[in-house]
Amino acid sequence: MVKVEVKDLKVWLGKNFVIKGINLEILENSVTSIIGPSGCGKSTFLRSINRMNDLISDANIEGEIMIDDKNIYDPDVNVFDLRRKVGMVFQKPNPFPKSIYENIAYGLKIHGTKDRNKIDEIVEKSLRDANLWDEVKDKLFENAFALSGGQQQRLCIARAIAIKPEVILMDEPASALDPIATNSLERLIVELRKNYTIVIVTHNIQQAARVSEYTAFLYLGELVEFNKTEKIFTMPKDKKTEEYVSGRFS
Amino acid sequence: MDKIKKEKIVFTIIRIISFSSVVFLLTLLGFIFYKGFSVINWQFLTDIPRNGFTEGGIFPSIVGTVYLIIGTMIFAVPVGILAGIYLAEYAKENRFKNLLRVSINVLAGVPSIVFGLFGLAIFVKRMHLGVSIISGSLTLGILVLPTIIQATIEAIKSVPDTFREASYGVGATKWQTVYHISLKTAISGIFTGIIISIGRAAGEAAPILFTAATFYTRGLPTSIFDKVMALPYIIYGLITEGTFPDKQVPIAYGASVVLLIIVLLFSTVGIIIRLRVRRRKSW
């Protein structure tokens, strides 16, 4: 089933025409990778899906993004509810300067959950789902910055899933991590796809191959090719895609 | 002359200059303490002035200074923090914001006696608040407002944007993000600004000269519309208008010691907080 349908999306950042009309369908409970060279608009595209681009004052957006058949750019859409439904994990781990517990409770509290027991329960479940519980259960009230980079990023994933999103956007989530932390993050992503629709931007082509079922190749703001990941890697239709996935891109 | 020799000479000069600033500070402190310490005892701190300020203590002035500090903060802290939040988080970059920024900088450089005159014209006369704690507090409040605003802006600006993004990412509104993330992260920086302002408000004589202070009152103030005795002002009064200098000048030095201790206490607390935060800061 299609979860996110992007229809002729165009994005300008100031005078820069960054996304030049993209059409794309993202299936429910799957992992879709967005790959492409630096500056091709991957991050901008991703940030259109939870309207983080709204925060940039000179961003202009045209086209539609349908989530569950509702255009998220409709005037009656509450952007804060949207971001609750479409969570985000950022390039650099960015926990809040608060305790591990508070990092996860934050999203719940701002959305009105007051029941302490319920918060406790969700904090534990989110940390378990993010494969972090065993490492942090004895130091829930210590500052999140005491964790390693990889742990911080899994904490950020736990924070994102605590508010029960349906879609999770990941913007190069492993780019600041060492190989071992990257490995455990990738395993987590594969586990998470059972329950979430995941869109991941990555610079690492092998990572796209390892974690995703679908891959979109973006180049200069346009969608060059979109297909099942194995097809993109074994039988790319476009010459540019072939060059990029084989590392011969210049 | 070879380079190494030159360098040695320059460094020696710099060393002497920096050392001399420490010497000045120590001389000043030593001088004030030497002159004033002899009069300080329990009675000096807790008694009212007697016999035309030649005997007794300075208790009402200490109380008056504390009242003025409290009044100043009640006014300046909320206004300063809110203005700082507005300028750091909400105001769009445009001419109006630049104008505000420039005005605040200018305000920070206005001589304190000018604030005193302004307070006299507006609060004492125009608003009919009279020479009172409230007039003095409002005047001192305006005096320290730029400091608090600037400290708030600096502290909020130093909060990394990645924290804000994370907050928006879980669906927080702008205000939730400002309150729970920016403000709570910046709070110690803001606090430092407040502490510095307290030191300033406690020590200034000029702004309260026409707006709040009086040389002598019977007993302690009973309402915010009362005149009040304050440490900087009695020091000024005793030195310039005292009729029994041999008894009153030591009292002025004693009051200076007390004032210095109050101000140093506040700045020490400020420095400690700043150091602790710097150590804890992990991003």
Side-chain angles (χ1 to χ4, degrees):
Chain A
M1 211 182 86
V2 176
K3 184 75 183 171
V4 181
E5 188 182 0
V6 181
K7 289 182 184 171
D8 200 25
L9 182 76
K10 292 180 178 135
V11 182
W12 288 262
L13 298 178
K15 286 188 181 121
N16 283 340
F17 191 17
V18 185
I19 301 291
K20 300 170 179 166
I22 287 185
N23 289 285
L24 187 66
E25 286 181 353
I26 293 163
L27 296 184
E28 192 163 24
N29 296 351
S30 69
V31 178
T32 303
S33 290
I34 314 285
I35 60 169
S38 296
C40 71
K42 302 185 298 284
S43 286
T44 305
F45 174 73
L46 194 74
R47 283 161 177 260
S48 302
I49 305 175
N50 66 345
R51 291 184 51 176
M52 285 298 267
N53 286 333
D54 289 17
L55 300 173
I56 304 167
S57 57
D58 59 355
N60 271 307
I61 294 148
E62 262 180 31
E64 292 179 342
I65 296 179
M66 314 292 287
I67 296 182
D68 296 333
D69 295 323
K70 170 76 185 159
N71 180 14
I72 61 166
Y73 285 96
D74 276 351
D76 64 334
V77 168
N78 178 331
V79 68
F80 309 112
D81 289 343
L82 169 72
R83 293 194 191 126
R84 178 180 193 172
K85 195 168 154 181
V86 184
M88 189 156 200
V89 177
F90 297 83
Q91 190 167 355
K92 219 175 132 232
N94 59 351
F96 299 122
K98 299 173 186 283
S99 71
I100 294 167
Y101 180 94
E102 280 298 326
N103 260 278
I104 296 169
Y106 179 72
L108 301 167
K109 285 177 181 169
I110 60 163
H111 288 294
T113 309
K114 290 204 178 73
D115 181 358
R116 182 82 195 193
N117 292 329
K118 189 154 185 221
I119 294 176
D120 286 351
E121 193 183 297
I122 297 174
V123 167
E124 180 174 344
K125 177 154 193 336
S126 309
L127 286 168
R128 282 190 191 283
D129 289 351
N131 295 344
L132 192 60
W133 175 253
D134 291 333
E135 292 158 65
V136 302
K137 64 184 174 201
D138 300 322
K139 47 180 179 182
L140 287 178
F141 297 97
E142 283 174 31
N143 195 308
F145 283 95
L147 299 175
S148 72
Q151 289 173 325
Q152 286 184 21
Q153 197 61 304
R154 277 180 282 144
L155 177 67
C156 292
I157 290 176
R159 178 175 69 192
I161 59 184
I163 50 173
K164 300 201 167 50
E166 293 164 22
V167 181
I168 303 175
L169 310 174
M170 298 186 179
D171 189 359
E172 295 181 45
S175 64
L177 305 184
D178 66 47
I180 293 168
T182 301
N183 190 292
S184 68
L185 187 80
E186 287 178 1
R187 269 181 311 174
L188 174 60
I189 293 170
V190 173
E191 282 172 36
L192 288 174
R193 76 176 175 212
K194 275 176 275 178
N195 298 311
Y196 305 93
T197 306
I198 297 171
V199 186
I200 176 172
V201 162
T202 177
H203 259 127
N204 181 333
I205 298 164
Q206 283 73 37
Q207 185 170 68
R210 284 191 296 264
V211 302
S212 67
E213 293 141 296
Y214 297 89
T215 297
F217 174 57
L218 260 60
Y219 182 62
L220 298 176
E222 286 178 86
L223 179 65
V224 176
E225 195 166 344
F226 175 56
N227 211 329
K228 288 203 159 148
T229 299
E230 63 209 53
K231 289 261 171 61
I232 291 275
F233 281 87
T234 53
M235 299 176 263
K237 292 196 188 87
D238 193 282
K239 198 160 173 295
K240 280 202 206 84
T241 315
E242 187 190 345
E243 283 176 2
Y244 187 74
V245 299
S246 60
R248 279 184 283 119
F249 200 81
S250 53
Chain B
M1 206 177 355
D2 65 90
K3 279 184 190 168
I4 298 174
K5 249 188 186 162
K6 233 182 191 169
E7 190 173 270
K8 268 192 179 157
I9 292 172
V10 172
F11 274 139
T12 313
I13 294 171
I14 293 173
R15 203 169 291 143
I16 290 169
I17 293 171
S18 9
F19 186 68
S20 62
S21 69
V22 179
V23 172
F24 285 134
L25 178 68
L26 290 179
T27 315
L28 176 99
L29 290 177
F31 178 73
I32 299 285
F33 274 78
Y34 168 73
K35 291 278 225 172
F37 220 72
S38 57
V39 300
I40 291 183
N41 53 40
W42 188 244
Q43 192 203 4
F44 185 75
L45 296 174
T46 55
D47 199 6
I48 58 165
R50 291 174 196 281
N51 285 340
F53 245 123
T54 55
E55 288 169 20
I58 57 163
F59 182 63
S61 320
I62 298 175
V63 172
T65 291
V66 170
Y67 282 175
L68 284 171
I69 290 175
I70 294 170
T72 304
M73 292 305 131
I74 287 174
F75 171 64
V77 168
V79 176
I81 292 179
L82 289 175
I85 291 174
Y86 172 74
L87 285 168
E89 292 274 1
Y90 287 92
K92 293 226 163 68
E93 288 297 332
N94 55 26
R95 279 193 178 170
F96 177 64
K97 183 174 173 181
N98 272 332
L99 185 73
L100 282 178
R101 208 168 7 212
V102 171
S103 313
I104 292 164
N105 287 337
V106 171
L107 207 59
V110 170
S112 54
I113 187 76
V114 177
F115 282 101
L117 279 174
F118 175 82
L120 172 69
I122 302 296
F123 302 127
V124 178
K125 301 283 182 202
R126 195 65 184 246
M127 293 167 68
H128 302 291
L129 295 170
V131 175
S132 61
I133 295 179
I134 185 154
S135 293
S137 299
L138 287 166
T139 310
L140 286 170
I142 301 177
L143 177 84
V144 299
L145 205 50
T147 315
I148 296 180
I149 295 175
Q150 281 165 342
T152 306
I153 293 176
E154 288 309 311
I156 288 181
K157 286 246 163 97
S158 73
V159 176
D161 269 334
T162 53
F163 293 177
R164 295 188 183 88
E165 275 197 330
S167 175
Y168 290 126
V170 291
T173 62
K174 174 111 190 182
W175 172 246
Q176 284 171 330
T177 303
V178 167
Y179 180 75
H180 292 289
I181 304 300
S182 304
L183 204 55
K184 284 196 179 161
T185 312
I187 197 71
S188 15
I190 297 171
F191 202 64
T192 313
I194 293 172
I195 299 282
I196 293 168
S197 320
I198 290 179
R200 180 118 196 257
E204 285 280 355
I208 56 170
L209 205 56
F210 326 116
T211 59
T214 182
F215 185 55
Y216 182 74
T217 50
R218 284 166 188 274
L220 299 174
T222 52
S223 99
I224 55 169
F225 298 104
D226 283 357
K227 293 178 187 178
V228 70
M229 296 170 79
L231 288 169
Y233 188 68
I234 61 157
I235 295 166
Y236 168 77
L238 286 170
I239 296 288
T240 56
E241 287 160 32
T243 37
F244 303 98
D246 50 332
K247 285 193 169 169
Q248 290 170 329
V249 170
I251 294 181
Y253 279 107
S256 305
V257 171
V258 174
L259 183 57
L260 257 178
I261 289 173
I262 291 177
V263 173
L264 287 180
L265 222 65
F266 276 117
S267 31
T268 313
V269 172
I271 289 165
I272 289 170
I273 291 171
R274 202 162 37 199
L275 288 179
R276 279 182 55 179
V277 169
R278 202 175 295 161
R279 218 177 310 131
R280 217 182 45 195
K281 193 166 166 178
S282 34
W283 61 87

